[in-house]
Amino acid sequence: PPSASARLSFADATAHGILSSPSAPIHARDFLALGLDPDPRSGAGAGGTAPRRHIPCLLPRAGSFVLCLGHVRAIVGTESATFFHVHRPNVSVFVQDLSRFRTASSGRPEPFELAVLEEILREVCASYNRRMRIYRPVVDSLLEDSDSATDDDGHGPFHRLVPLRDGLRVTEQEIATAAACLQSVLDSDEDLLGLLLTDARDAAGPLDPALHAPVEIMLEEYHRQLMDVAGQADQLLRRVQSKQELYAIGLDAHRNRMVQMNLQLAILGVSLATWTTIAGVFGMNLPTGLEEHPYAFGIVSTASMVLGASFYAYTTDRIFGR
């Protein structure tokens, strides 16, 4: 609550209890938008599978709004906020810090829902920034090791770039979808006015569209921060992909050299086979009439060598152009 007596409580709430709460009325389908895990304490979905990915959303409702951004899932009303998955350490720490912040700033004139929304957006942006600070030294270290280091299996650190690339791609997609969620709200004056829960409660009629200017400025600022973090993720991802492409080019060049060497050896083998075939024919213990010819050996040997060398030269010239 926004008063000095703000307190934090943890409870196992049911869907029916939340839906019947008069402080933050929502629709039953809004639970689907929150992307809640069937068994959140186990960290897995139904059947023990990995938790499903959620789509960020910020949905204004009558007297509340449903929010799903980053690791935060909440239903915020004019005087209270319900957070989900508080068993997770990052969510639990954020909720406790938020409770202490609201107690210390209870005298501020800012509406409760906008203060909570700004703290959630600040936490989401900070979490993505922390993730980038973790990724950056890992990327730098792996890219530096890839220039000289080689693992025991001879593959070097390049195979470790694959999970790093996938993690960066997932992070970039998460940030991009969160930014797109804020952009969709910014594009709708109706949604911006729907976030002014206190003003809508106290107003006698429809709200003046000019009233959403403060919340619009706030969302624009955090949208800019998300786009900045998305740019950092994209930059790191491009660095990883560039290193993988360079490594793939090196592998292709090495593979081409091996194929060329194998082909040259095959041509040389056929050339020698031509030579040895002629020698084998004349080496059979059958009378040919040339046994007593004084120059037969030299003629046959020279002709065999010329034929084999000519075949090798002609084939390499046709294939390799030299």
Coordinates of all heavy atoms in Angstrom, one line a residue, residues 79-173:
E79 N -4.1 0.5 -5.1 CA -3.6 0.5 -3.7 C -2.8 -0.8 -3.4 O -2.3 -0.9 -2.3 CB -4.8 0.6 -2.7 CG -5.5 1.9 -2.9 CD -6.7 2.0 -1.8 OE1 -6.9 1.0 -1.1 OE2 -7.3 3.0 -1.8
S80 N -2.7 -1.7 -4.3 CA -1.9 -2.9 -4.0 C -1.4 -3.5 -5.3 O -1.9 -3.2 -6.4 CB -2.8 -3.9 -3.2 OG -3.9 -4.4 -4.1
A81 N -0.5 -4.4 -5.1 CA 0.1 -5.1 -6.3 C 0.3 -6.6 -5.9 O 0.8 -6.9 -4.8 CB 1.4 -4.5 -6.7
T82 N 0.0 -7.5 -6.8 CA 0.1 -8.9 -6.6 C 1.2 -9.4 -7.5 O 1.1 -9.2 -8.7 CB -1.2 -9.7 -6.8 OG1 -2.2 -9.2 -6.0 CG2 -1.0 -11.1 -6.6
F83 N 2.3 -10.0 -6.9 CA 3.4 -10.5 -7.7 C 3.4 -12.0 -7.7 O 3.0 -12.6 -6.6 CB 4.7 -9.9 -7.2 CG 4.9 -8.5 -7.4 CD1 4.5 -7.6 -6.4 CD2 5.6 -8.0 -8.5 CE1 4.7 -6.2 -6.6 CE2 5.8 -6.6 -8.7 CZ 5.3 -5.7 -7.7
F84 N 3.8 -12.6 -8.8 CA 3.8 -14.0 -8.9 C 5.3 -14.5 -9.0 O 6.2 -13.8 -9.2 CB 3.1 -14.5 -10.1 CG 1.6 -14.1 -10.1 CD1 1.2 -12.8 -10.6 CD2 0.7 -14.9 -9.6 CE1 -0.1 -12.4 -10.6 CE2 -0.7 -14.5 -9.6 CZ -1.1 -13.3 -10.1
H85 N 5.5 -15.8 -8.7 CA 6.8 -16.5 -8.7 C 7.7 -15.8 -7.7 O 8.9 -15.7 -8.0 CB 7.4 -16.4 -10.1 CG 6.6 -17.3 -11.1 ND1 6.9 -17.2 -12.5 CD2 5.6 -18.1 -11.0 CE1 6.0 -18.0 -13.1 NE2 5.2 -18.6 -12.2
V86 N 7.2 -15.4 -6.6 CA 8.1 -14.8 -5.6 C 9.0 -15.8 -4.9 O 9.9 -15.3 -4.1 CB 7.2 -14.0 -4.5 CG1 6.5 -12.9 -5.1 CG2 6.3 -15.0 -3.9
H87 N 8.9 -17.1 -5.2 CA 9.9 -18.0 -4.7 C 11.2 -17.9 -5.4 O 12.2 -18.4 -4.8 CB 9.3 -19.4 -4.8 CG 9.1 -19.8 -6.3 ND1 8.0 -19.4 -7.0 CD2 9.9 -20.6 -7.1 CE1 8.1 -19.8 -8.2 NE2 9.2 -20.6 -8.3
R88 N 11.2 -17.3 -6.5 CA 12.5 -17.1 -7.3 C 13.3 -16.0 -6.6 O 12.7 -15.0 -6.3 CB 12.2 -16.8 -8.7 CG 11.5 -17.9 -9.5 CD 11.1 -17.5 -10.9 NE 10.5 -18.6 -11.6 CZ 10.0 -18.5 -12.8 NH1 10.1 -17.4 -13.5 NH2 9.4 -19.6 -13.4
P89 N 14.6 -16.2 -6.5 CA 15.4 -15.3 -5.7 C 15.3 -13.9 -6.3 O 15.2 -12.9 -5.6 CB 16.8 -15.8 -5.8 CG 16.6 -17.3 -6.0 CD 15.4 -17.4 -6.8
N90 N 15.4 -13.7 -7.6 CA 15.4 -12.4 -8.2 C 14.1 -11.7 -8.0 O 14.1 -10.4 -7.7 CB 15.8 -12.4 -9.7 CG 14.9 -13.4 -10.5 OD1 14.1 -14.1 -9.9 ND2 15.1 -13.4 -11.8
V91 N 13.0 -12.4 -8.1 CA 11.7 -11.8 -7.8 C 11.5 -11.4 -6.4 O 11.0 -10.4 -6.0 CB 10.6 -12.7 -8.3 CG1 9.2 -12.0 -8.1 CG2 10.7 -13.0 -9.8
S92 N 11.9 -12.3 -5.5 CA 11.8 -12.1 -4.1 C 12.6 -10.9 -3.6 O 12.0 -10.1 -2.9 CB 12.2 -13.4 -3.3 OG 12.2 -13.2 -1.9
V93 N 13.8 -10.8 -4.1 CA 14.6 -9.6 -3.7 C 14.0 -8.3 -4.2 O 13.9 -7.3 -3.5 CB 16.1 -9.8 -4.2 CG1 16.9 -8.5 -4.0 CG2 16.7 -10.9 -3.5
F94 N 13.5 -8.4 -5.4 CA 12.9 -7.1 -6.0 C 11.6 -6.7 -5.2 O 11.4 -5.6 -4.9 CB 12.5 -7.4 -7.5 CG 11.6 -6.4 -8.0 CD1 12.0 -5.0 -8.2 CD2 10.3 -6.7 -8.4 CE1 11.1 -4.1 -8.7 CE2 9.4 -5.8 -8.9 CZ 9.8 -4.5 -9.0
V95 N 10.8 -7.7 -4.9 CA 9.6 -7.4 -4.1 C 9.9 -6.8 -2.8 O 9.2 -5.8 -2.3 CB 8.7 -8.6 -4.0 CG1 7.5 -8.4 -3.1 CG2 8.2 -9.0 -5.4
Q96 N 10.9 -7.4 -2.1 CA 11.2 -6.8 -0.8 C 11.8 -5.4 -0.9 O 11.5 -4.6 -0.1 CB 12.2 -7.8 -0.1 CG 11.6 -9.1 0.2 CD 12.6 -10.1 0.9 OE1 13.5 -9.6 1.6 NE2 12.5 -11.4 0.7
D97 N 12.7 -5.2 -1.9 CA 13.2 -3.9 -2.1 C 12.1 -2.9 -2.5 O 12.1 -1.7 -2.0 CB 14.2 -3.9 -3.2 CG 15.5 -4.6 -2.8 OD1 15.7 -4.8 -1.6 OD2 16.3 -5.0 -3.7
L98 N 11.1 -3.3 -3.2 CA 10.0 -2.5 -3.6 C 9.2 -2.1 -2.4 O 8.7 -1.0 -2.3 CB 9.1 -3.2 -4.7 CG 7.9 -2.4 -5.1 CD1 8.2 -1.1 -5.8 CD2 7.1 -3.3 -6.1
S99 N 8.9 -3.1 -1.5 CA 8.2 -2.8 -0.3 C 8.9 -1.8 0.6 O 8.2 -0.8 1.1 CB 7.9 -4.1 0.5 OG 7.3 -3.8 1.7
R100 N 10.2 -1.9 0.7 CA 10.9 -0.9 1.5 C 10.9 0.5 0.8 O 10.8 1.5 1.5 CB 12.4 -1.4 1.7 CG 12.5 -2.6 2.7 CD 13.9 -2.8 3.1 NE 14.7 -3.3 1.9 CZ 14.8 -4.6 1.7 NH1 14.3 -5.5 2.5 NH2 15.5 -5.0 0.7
F101 N 11.0 0.5 -0.5 CA 11.0 1.8 -1.2 C 9.7 2.5 -1.0 O 9.6 3.7 -0.8 CB 11.3 1.5 -2.7 CG 11.1 2.7 -3.5 CD1 12.0 3.8 -3.6 CD2 9.9 2.8 -4.3 CE1 11.8 4.9 -4.4 CE2 9.7 3.9 -5.1 CZ 10.6 5.0 -5.1
R102 N 8.6 1.7 -1.1 CA 7.3 2.3 -1.0 C 7.0 2.8 0.4 O 6.4 3.9 0.6 CB 6.2 1.3 -1.4 CG 6.1 1.0 -2.9 CD 6.0 2.2 -3.7 NE 4.8 3.0 -3.3 CZ 4.6 4.2 -3.7 NH1 5.5 4.9 -4.3 NH2 3.5 4.9 -3.3
T103 N 7.6 2.2 1.4 CA 7.4 2.6 2.8 C 8.2 3.9 3.0 O 7.7 4.9 3.6 CB 7.9 1.5 3.8 OG1 7.2 0.3 3.5 CG2 7.7 2.0 5.2
A104 N 9.4 4.0 2.4 CA 10.2 5.2 2.6 C 9.7 6.4 1.8 O 9.9 7.5 2.2 CB 11.7 4.9 2.2
S105 N 9.0 6.1 0.7 CA 8.5 7.2 -0.2 C 7.0 7.4 -0.1 O 6.4 7.7 -1.1 CB 9.0 7.0 -1.6 OG 8.5 5.8 -2.1
S106 N 6.4 7.1 1.0 CA 5.0 7.1 1.1 C 4.4 8.5 1.0 O 3.2 8.6 0.7 CB 4.5 6.4 2.5 OG 5.1 7.2 3.5
G107 N 5.2 9.5 1.3 CA 4.7 10.9 1.2 C 4.7 11.5 -0.2 O 4.3 12.6 -0.4
R108 N 5.2 10.7 -1.2 CA 5.3 11.2 -2.6 C 3.9 11.3 -3.2 O 3.1 10.4 -3.0 CB 6.2 10.4 -3.4 CG 7.7 10.4 -3.0 CD 8.5 9.4 -3.7 NE 8.4 9.6 -5.2 CZ 9.0 8.8 -6.1 NH1 9.6 7.7 -5.6 NH2 8.9 9.1 -7.3
P109 N 3.7 12.4 -4.0 CA 2.3 12.5 -4.6 C 2.1 11.6 -5.8 O 1.0 11.6 -6.3 CB 2.3 14.0 -5.0 CG 3.7 14.3 -5.3 CD 4.5 13.5 -4.3
E110 N 3.1 10.9 -6.2 CA 2.9 10.0 -7.4 C 2.0 8.9 -7.2 O 2.0 8.3 -6.1 CB 4.3 9.5 -7.8 CG 4.3 8.7 -9.1 CD 5.7 8.2 -9.5 OE1 6.6 8.2 -8.6 OE2 5.9 7.8 -10.6
P111 N 1.1 8.6 -8.1 CA 0.1 7.5 -7.9 C 0.8 6.2 -7.7 O 1.9 6.0 -8.2 CB -0.7 7.5 -9.2 CG -0.6 8.9 -9.7 CD 0.8 9.4 -9.3
F112 N 0.2 5.4 -6.9 CA 0.8 4.1 -6.5 C 1.1 3.2 -7.7 O 2.2 2.7 -7.9 CB -0.1 3.4 -5.5 CG 0.3 1.9 -5.3 CD1 1.3 1.7 -4.3 CD2 -0.3 0.9 -5.9 CE1 1.7 0.4 -4.1 CE2 0.1 -0.4 -5.7 CZ 1.1 -0.7 -4.7
E113 N 0.2 3.1 -8.6 CA 0.4 2.2 -9.8 C 1.5 2.7 -10.7 O 2.3 1.8 -11.2 CB -0.9 2.1 -10.6 CG -1.4 3.3 -11.3 CD -2.2 4.3 -10.5 OE1 -2.3 4.0 -9.3 OE2 -2.7 5.3 -11.1
L114 N 1.7 4.0 -10.8 CA 2.7 4.5 -11.7 C 4.1 4.3 -11.0 O 5.1 4.0 -11.7 CB 2.5 6.0 -12.1 CG 1.3 6.3 -12.9 CD1 1.2 7.7 -13.3 CD2 1.2 5.4 -14.1
A115 N 4.1 4.5 -9.7 CA 5.4 4.3 -9.0 C 5.8 2.8 -9.1 O 7.0 2.5 -9.3 CB 5.2 4.7 -7.5
V116 N 4.9 1.9 -8.9 CA 5.2 0.5 -9.0 C 5.6 0.1 -10.4 O 6.5 -0.6 -10.7 CB 4.0 -0.4 -8.6 CG1 4.2 -1.9 -8.8 CG2 3.7 -0.2 -7.1
L117 N 4.9 0.7 -11.4 CA 5.2 0.4 -12.8 C 6.6 0.9 -13.1 O 7.4 0.2 -13.8 CB 4.2 1.1 -13.7 CG 4.5 1.0 -15.2 CD1 4.5 -0.5 -15.7 CD2 3.5 1.8 -16.0
E118 N 7.0 2.0 -12.6 CA 8.4 2.5 -12.9 C 9.4 1.7 -12.2 O 10.5 1.4 -12.8 CB 8.5 4.0 -12.4 CG 9.8 4.6 -12.8 CD 9.9 6.1 -12.6 OE1 8.9 6.6 -12.0 OE2 10.9 6.7 -13.0
E119 N 9.1 1.2 -11.0 CA 10.1 0.3 -10.3 C 10.2 -1.0 -11.1 O 11.3 -1.6 -11.2 CB 9.7 0.1 -8.9 CG 9.8 1.3 -8.0 CD 11.2 1.9 -8.0 OE1 12.2 1.0 -7.8 OE2 11.4 3.1 -8.2
I120 N 9.2 -1.5 -11.6 CA 9.2 -2.8 -12.4 C 10.0 -2.6 -13.6 O 10.9 -3.4 -14.0 CB 7.8 -3.3 -12.7 CG1 7.1 -3.7 -11.4 CG2 7.9 -4.4 -13.7 CD1 5.6 -4.1 -11.6
L121 N 9.8 -1.5 -14.3 CA 10.5 -1.2 -15.6 C 12.0 -1.0 -15.3 O 12.9 -1.5 -16.0 CB 10.0 0.0 -16.3 CG 8.5 -0.1 -16.8 CD1 8.0 1.2 -17.4 CD2 8.5 -1.2 -17.9
R122 N 12.3 -0.3 -14.2 CA 13.7 -0.1 -13.8 C 14.4 -1.4 -13.5 O 15.5 -1.7 -13.8 CB 13.8 0.8 -12.6 CG 15.2 1.1 -12.2 CD 15.3 2.0 -10.9 NE 14.8 3.4 -11.3 CZ 13.7 3.9 -10.8 NH1 13.0 3.2 -9.9 NH2 13.4 5.1 -11.1
E123 N 13.7 -2.3 -12.8 CA 14.2 -3.6 -12.4 C 14.4 -4.5 -13.7 O 15.5 -5.2 -13.8 CB 13.3 -4.4 -11.5 CG 13.5 -5.8 -11.3 CD 14.8 -6.1 -10.6 OE1 15.4 -5.2 -10.0 OE2 15.3 -7.3 -10.7
V124 N 13.5 -4.4 -14.6 CA 13.6 -5.2 -15.8 C 14.8 -4.8 -16.7 O 15.7 -5.6 -17.1 CB 12.3 -5.2 -16.7 CG1 12.6 -5.8 -18.1 CG2 11.2 -5.9 -15.9
C125 N 15.0 -3.4 -16.8 CA 16.1 -2.9 -17.6 C 17.4 -3.2 -16.8 O 18.4 -3.6 -17.5 CB 15.9 -1.4 -17.7 SG 14.6 -0.9 -18.8
A126 N 17.4 -3.1 -15.5 CA 18.6 -3.4 -14.8 C 19.0 -4.9 -14.9 O 20.2 -5.2 -15.0 CB 18.4 -3.0 -13.3
S127 N 18.0 -5.8 -14.9 CA 18.3 -7.2 -15.0 C 18.9 -7.5 -16.4 O 19.9 -8.3 -16.5 CB 17.0 -8.0 -14.8 OG 16.1 -7.8 -15.9
Y128 N 18.4 -6.9 -17.5 CA 19.0 -7.1 -18.8 C 20.4 -6.5 -18.9 O 21.3 -7.1 -19.5 CB 18.1 -6.5 -19.9 CG 16.9 -7.3 -20.1 CD1 15.6 -6.7 -20.2 CD2 16.9 -8.7 -20.3 CE1 14.5 -7.5 -20.4 CE2 15.8 -9.5 -20.5 CZ 14.6 -8.8 -20.6 OH 13.4 -9.6 -20.8
N129 N 20.6 -5.4 -18.2 CA 22.0 -4.8 -18.2 C 22.9 -5.7 -17.4 O 24.1 -5.8 -17.8 CB 21.9 -3.4 -17.5 CG 21.6 -2.3 -18.5 OD1 22.3 -2.1 -19.5 ND2 20.5 -1.6 -18.3
R130 N 22.5 -6.3 -16.3 CA 23.3 -7.2 -15.6 C 23.7 -8.4 -16.4 O 24.8 -8.9 -16.4 CB 22.6 -7.6 -14.3 CG 22.5 -6.6 -13.2 CD 22.1 -7.2 -11.9 NE 20.8 -7.8 -12.0 CZ 19.7 -7.1 -11.6 NH1 19.7 -5.9 -11.3 NH2 18.5 -7.8 -11.7
R131 N 22.7 -8.9 -17.2 CA 23.0 -10.0 -18.1 C 24.1 -9.6 -19.1 O 24.9 -10.4 -19.4 CB 21.7 -10.5 -18.7 CG 21.8 -11.9 -19.3 CD 20.5 -12.3 -20.0 NE 19.4 -12.3 -19.1 CZ 18.2 -12.7 -19.4 NH1 18.0 -13.2 -20.7 NH2 17.2 -12.6 -18.6
M132 N 24.0 -8.4 -19.7 CA 25.0 -8.0 -20.6 C 26.3 -7.9 -20.0 O 27.4 -8.2 -20.6 CB 24.6 -6.7 -21.3 CG 23.4 -6.7 -22.2 SD 23.7 -7.8 -23.6 CE 22.8 -9.3 -23.1
R133 N 26.4 -7.4 -18.8 CA 27.7 -7.3 -18.1 C 28.3 -8.7 -17.8 O 29.5 -8.8 -17.7 CB 27.5 -6.5 -16.8 CG 27.3 -5.0 -16.9 CD 27.6 -4.3 -15.6 NE 26.6 -4.6 -14.6 CZ 25.4 -4.0 -14.4 NH1 25.1 -2.9 -15.2 NH2 24.6 -4.3 -13.5
I134 N 27.5 -9.7 -17.7 CA 28.0 -11.1 -17.6 C 28.4 -11.6 -18.9 O 29.5 -12.3 -19.0 CB 26.9 -12.0 -16.9 CG1 26.6 -11.5 -15.5 CG2 27.3 -13.4 -17.0 CD1 25.5 -12.3 -14.8
Y135 N 27.7 -11.3 -19.9 CA 28.0 -11.9 -21.3 C 29.3 -11.3 -21.8 O 30.1 -11.9 -22.5 CB 26.8 -11.6 -22.2 CG 25.8 -12.7 -22.3 CD1 24.5 -12.4 -22.0 CD2 26.2 -14.0 -22.6 CE1 23.5 -13.4 -22.1 CE2 25.2 -15.0 -22.7 CZ 23.9 -14.7 -22.4 OH 22.9 -15.7 -22.4
R136 N 29.5 -10.0 -21.6 CA 30.5 -9.3 -22.3 C 31.9 -9.8 -22.0 O 32.7 -10.1 -22.9 CB 30.5 -7.8 -22.0 CG 31.5 -6.9 -22.8 CD 31.2 -5.4 -22.6 NE 29.9 -5.0 -23.1 CZ 28.9 -4.7 -22.4 NH1 29.0 -4.8 -21.0 NH2 27.8 -4.3 -22.9
P137 N 32.3 -10.0 -20.7 CA 33.7 -10.6 -20.5 C 33.8 -12.1 -21.0 O 34.8 -12.5 -21.4 CB 33.8 -10.5 -19.0 CG 32.4 -10.4 -18.4 CD 31.7 -9.6 -19.5
V138 N 32.6 -12.8 -21.0 CA 32.7 -14.2 -21.5 C 32.9 -14.2 -23.0 O 33.8 -15.0 -23.5 CB 31.3 -14.9 -21.2 CG1 31.3 -16.3 -21.8 CG2 31.1 -15.0 -19.6
V139 N 32.3 -13.3 -23.7 CA 32.5 -13.2 -25.1 C 33.9 -12.8 -25.4 O 34.6 -13.3 -26.3 CB 31.5 -12.2 -25.8 CG1 31.8 -12.0 -27.2 CG2 30.1 -12.8 -25.7
D140 N 34.4 -11.7 -24.7 CA 35.8 -11.3 -24.9 C 36.8 -12.4 -24.6 O 37.8 -12.6 -25.4 CB 36.1 -10.1 -24.0 CG 35.3 -8.9 -24.4 OD1 34.8 -8.8 -25.5 OD2 35.1 -8.0 -23.5
S141 N 36.6 -13.1 -23.6 CA 37.5 -14.2 -23.2 C 37.5 -15.3 -24.3 O 38.6 -15.8 -24.7 CB 37.2 -14.8 -21.9 OG 38.0 -15.9 -21.5
L142 N 36.4 -15.7 -24.7 CA 36.3 -16.8 -25.7 C 36.9 -16.4 -27.0 O 37.5 -17.2 -27.7 CB 34.9 -17.3 -25.9 CG 34.3 -18.2 -24.7 CD1 32.9 -18.6 -25.0 CD2 35.2 -19.4 -24.6
L143 N 36.6 -15.1 -27.4 CA 37.1 -14.7 -28.7 C 38.6 -14.5 -28.7 O 39.3 -14.8 -29.7 CB 36.5 -13.3 -29.1 CG 35.0 -13.4 -29.4 CD1 34.5 -12.1 -29.9 CD2 34.6 -14.5 -30.4
E144 N 39.2 -14.1 -27.5 CA 40.6 -14.0 -27.4 C 41.3 -15.4 -27.4 O 42.3 -15.7 -28.0 CB 41.0 -13.3 -26.1 CG 40.7 -11.8 -26.2 CD 41.0 -11.1 -24.9 OE1 41.5 -11.8 -23.9 OE2 40.8 -9.9 -24.8
D145 N 40.6 -16.4 -26.7 CA 41.1 -17.8 -26.7 C 41.1 -18.4 -28.0 O 41.9 -19.3 -28.4 CB 40.4 -18.6 -25.7 CG 40.6 -18.1 -24.2 OD1 41.6 -17.4 -24.0 OD2 39.8 -18.5 -23.4
S146 N 40.1 -18.0 -28.8 CA 39.9 -18.7 -30.1 C 41.0 -18.4 -31.1 O 41.2 -19.1 -32.1 CB 38.6 -18.3 -30.8 OG 38.6 -16.9 -31.0
D147 N 41.8 -17.3 -30.8 CA 42.9 -16.9 -31.7 C 44.1 -17.8 -31.6 O 44.9 -18.0 -32.5 CB 43.3 -15.5 -31.5 CG 42.2 -14.5 -31.9 OD1 41.4 -14.9 -32.8 OD2 42.1 -13.4 -31.3
S148 N 44.2 -18.5 -30.4 CA 45.5 -19.2 -30.1 C 45.2 -20.6 -29.4 O 45.9 -21.5 -29.7 CB 46.5 -18.4 -29.3 OG 45.9 -18.0 -28.1
A149 N 44.2 -20.6 -28.5 CA 44.0 -21.8 -27.7 C 43.4 -22.9 -28.5 O 42.7 -22.7 -29.4 CB 43.1 -21.4 -26.5
T150 N 43.8 -24.1 -28.0 CA 43.2 -25.3 -28.6 C 43.0 -26.3 -27.5 O 43.8 -26.6 -26.6 CB 44.2 -26.0 -29.6 OG1 44.5 -25.0 -30.6 CG2 43.6 -27.2 -30.2
D151 N 41.8 -26.9 -27.5 CA 41.4 -27.9 -26.5 C 42.1 -29.2 -26.7 O 42.7 -29.4 -27.8 CB 39.9 -28.0 -26.4 CG 39.2 -26.8 -25.8 OD1 40.0 -26.0 -25.3 OD2 38.0 -26.7 -26.0
D152 N 41.9 -30.1 -25.8 CA 42.5 -31.4 -25.9 C 42.0 -32.2 -27.1 O 42.6 -33.0 -27.7 CB 42.4 -32.3 -24.6 CG 43.1 -31.6 -23.5 OD1 44.1 -30.9 -23.7 OD2 42.7 -31.9 -22.3
D153 N 40.7 -31.9 -27.5 CA 40.1 -32.6 -28.6 C 40.5 -32.0 -29.9 O 40.0 -32.5 -31.0 CB 38.6 -32.7 -28.4 CG 38.0 -31.3 -28.3 OD1 38.8 -30.3 -28.4 OD2 36.8 -31.2 -28.1
G154 N 41.3 -30.9 -29.9 CA 41.7 -30.3 -31.2 C 40.7 -29.4 -31.8 O 41.0 -28.8 -32.9
H155 N 39.6 -29.2 -31.2 CA 38.6 -28.3 -31.8 C 38.7 -26.8 -31.3 O 38.1 -26.0 -31.9 CB 37.2 -28.8 -31.5 CG 36.8 -30.1 -32.1 ND1 37.1 -31.3 -31.4 CD2 36.3 -30.4 -33.3 CE1 36.7 -32.3 -32.2 NE2 36.2 -31.8 -33.3
G156 N 39.5 -26.6 -30.3 CA 39.6 -25.2 -29.8 C 38.4 -24.8 -29.1 O 37.5 -25.6 -28.8
P157 N 38.3 -23.5 -28.7 CA 37.1 -23.1 -28.0 C 35.9 -22.7 -28.9 O 34.9 -22.2 -28.4 CB 37.6 -21.8 -27.3 CG 38.6 -21.3 -28.3 CD 39.3 -22.5 -28.9
F158 N 36.0 -23.1 -30.2 CA 34.9 -22.6 -31.1 C 33.6 -23.3 -30.8 O 32.5 -22.8 -31.0 CB 35.3 -22.9 -32.5 CG 36.6 -22.1 -32.9 CD1 37.8 -22.7 -32.9 CD2 36.4 -20.8 -33.3 CE1 38.9 -22.0 -33.3 CE2 37.6 -20.0 -33.6 CZ 38.8 -20.6 -33.6
H159 N 33.6 -24.6 -30.4 CA 32.4 -25.3 -30.1 C 31.6 -24.7 -28.9 O 30.4 -24.8 -28.8 CB 32.6 -26.8 -29.9 CG 33.5 -27.1 -28.7 ND1 34.8 -26.9 -28.6 CD2 33.1 -27.5 -27.4 CE1 35.3 -27.3 -27.4 NE2 34.3 -27.6 -26.7
R160 N 32.4 -23.9 -28.1 CA 31.7 -23.3 -26.9 C 31.0 -22.0 -27.4 O 30.2 -21.4 -26.6 CB 32.8 -22.9 -25.9 CG 33.2 -24.2 -25.1 CD 34.3 -23.8 -24.0 NE 35.5 -23.5 -24.6 CZ 36.6 -23.0 -24.0 NH1 36.5 -22.7 -22.7 NH2 37.7 -22.8 -24.6
L161 N 31.3 -21.5 -28.6 CA 30.6 -20.3 -29.1 C 29.2 -20.6 -29.4 O 28.3 -19.7 -29.5 CB 31.3 -19.8 -30.3 CG 32.7 -19.2 -30.1 CD1 33.3 -18.8 -31.4 CD2 32.7 -18.1 -29.1
V162 N 28.8 -21.9 -29.7 CA 27.5 -22.2 -30.1 C 26.4 -21.9 -29.0 O 25.5 -21.2 -29.2 CB 27.4 -23.7 -30.6 CG1 25.9 -24.0 -30.9 CG2 28.3 -23.9 -31.8
P163 N 26.6 -22.5 -27.8 CA 25.6 -22.1 -26.7 C 25.7 -20.7 -26.3 O 24.6 -20.1 -26.0 CB 26.1 -23.0 -25.5 CG 27.5 -23.4 -25.8 CD 27.6 -23.5 -27.3
L164 N 26.9 -20.0 -26.4 CA 26.9 -18.6 -26.2 C 26.1 -17.8 -27.2 O 25.4 -16.9 -26.9 CB 28.4 -18.2 -26.2 CG 28.6 -16.7 -25.9 CD1 28.1 -16.3 -24.5 CD2 30.1 -16.4 -26.0
R165 N 26.2 -18.2 -28.5 CA 25.5 -17.5 -29.5 C 24.0 -17.7 -29.3 O 23.2 -16.8 -29.5 CB 25.9 -18.1 -30.9 CG 25.1 -17.5 -32.1 CD 25.2 -18.4 -33.3 NE 24.6 -19.7 -32.9 CZ 24.7 -20.8 -33.7 NH1 25.4 -20.8 -34.8 NH2 24.1 -21.9 -33.3
D166 N 23.6 -19.0 -29.0 CA 22.2 -19.2 -28.7 C 21.6 -18.4 -27.5 O 20.5 -17.9 -27.6 CB 21.9 -20.7 -28.5 CG 22.3 -21.6 -29.7 OD1 22.3 -21.0 -30.8 OD2 22.5 -22.8 -29.6
G167 N 22.4 -18.3 -26.5 CA 22.0 -17.6 -25.3 C 21.8 -16.1 -25.6 O 20.9 -15.4 -25.2
L168 N 22.8 -15.5 -26.4 CA 22.7 -14.1 -26.8 C 21.5 -13.9 -27.7 O 20.8 -12.9 -27.6 CB 24.0 -13.7 -27.5 CG 25.2 -13.4 -26.7 CD1 26.4 -13.2 -27.5 CD2 24.9 -12.2 -25.8
R169 N 21.2 -14.9 -28.6 CA 20.0 -14.7 -29.5 C 18.7 -14.7 -28.7 O 17.8 -13.9 -29.0 CB 20.0 -15.8 -30.5 CG 18.9 -15.7 -31.5 CD 18.9 -16.7 -32.6 NE 20.0 -16.5 -33.5 CZ 21.1 -17.3 -33.7 NH1 21.1 -18.4 -33.1 NH2 22.0 -17.0 -34.6
V170 N 18.6 -15.6 -27.7 CA 17.4 -15.7 -26.9 C 17.3 -14.4 -26.1 O 16.2 -13.8 -26.0 CB 17.5 -16.9 -26.0 CG1 16.4 -16.8 -24.9 CG2 17.4 -18.2 -26.8
T171 N 18.4 -13.9 -25.5 CA 18.3 -12.6 -24.7 C 17.9 -11.5 -25.6 O 17.1 -10.6 -25.2 CB 19.7 -12.4 -24.1 OG1 20.1 -13.4 -23.2 CG2 19.7 -11.1 -23.3
E172 N 18.5 -11.4 -26.8 CA 18.1 -10.3 -27.7 C 16.6 -10.4 -28.1 O 16.0 -9.3 -28.2 CB 19.0 -10.4 -29.0 CG 18.7 -9.3 -30.0 CD 19.4 -9.5 -31.3 OE1 19.8 -10.6 -31.6 OE2 19.6 -8.5 -32.0
Q173 N 16.1 -11.6 -28.3 CA 14.7 -11.7 -28.6 C 13.8 -11.3 -27.4 O 12.8 -10.6 -27.6 CB 14.4 -13.1 -29.0 CG 15.0 -13.5 -30.4 CD 14.8 -15.0 -30.7 OE1 14.3 -15.8 -29.9 NE2 15.1 -15.4 -31.9

